[in-house]
Amino acid sequence: AFSNALATVLQRRASLTVPQSDGFRFGLVLDLLRRPLWLGGILAVIAAGVGQAAALATGALSLVQPLFVLELPLALLIASLMTRNRLPGAVWLAVAAVVAGLGVALVAASPAGNRTHVPLDRWVLA
């Protein structure tokens, strides 16, 4: 989730430094390939893929995949640190709600793997 968030921030910042156009142009790709931030974003995407593969190889899908929800709050945090802009209180509240919601969902679902039957009360809460 962190690597995906970092990739998002780096690639968006890099895209703001190239000449704007109304549509896609092949030169845009060449312009972006000359930007270290863009290349850093590509490396972060690759690291995210490797990390996700390793996590899925060693952990349950029902535990690993929901953690990628943290990409959005992490992207907001990384972007605010890189731009040195403070996030408004409402954004922090939304970030806290996402993280708390993820925590409640994971606790309610209790993803442990190798489970063939989940009681109805767990499904309802999740």
Side-chain angles (χ1 to χ4, degrees):
F2 178 81
S3 290
N4 274 337
L6 182 61
T8 297
V9 172
L10 293 177
Q11 289 178 331
R12 287 179 190 257
R13 286 186 56 105
S15 69
L16 294 173
T17 66
V18 296
Q20 301 295 310
S21 64
D22 290 333
F24 177 78
R25 57 182 178 78
F26 186 72
L28 174 63
V29 175
L30 296 176
D31 286 341
L32 289 170
L33 286 173
R34 290 187 211 114
R35 304 287 196 269
L37 280 177
W38 181 265
L39 295 174
I42 295 296
L43 290 175
V45 166
I46 292 168
V50 169
Q52 185 174 10
L56 288 170
T58 59
L61 176 69
S62 58
L63 177 61
V64 172
Q65 284 305 115
L67 293 178
F68 278 89
V69 169
L70 295 175
E71 180 181 341
L72 176 60
L74 288 170
L76 290 170
L77 181 62
I78 293 167
S80 71
L81 291 172
M82 287 184 78
T83 61
R84 292 186 170 92
N85 288 331
R86 295 183 66 147
L87 292 174
V91 174
W92 280 114
L93 187 59
V95 166
V98 167
V99 173
L102 175 62
V104 167
L106 286 174
V107 167
S110 183
N114 297 327
R115 193 179 275 184
T116 58
H117 174 72
V118 177
L120 182 61
D121 63 328
R122 291 279 185 182
W123 278 112
V124 171
L125 186 55

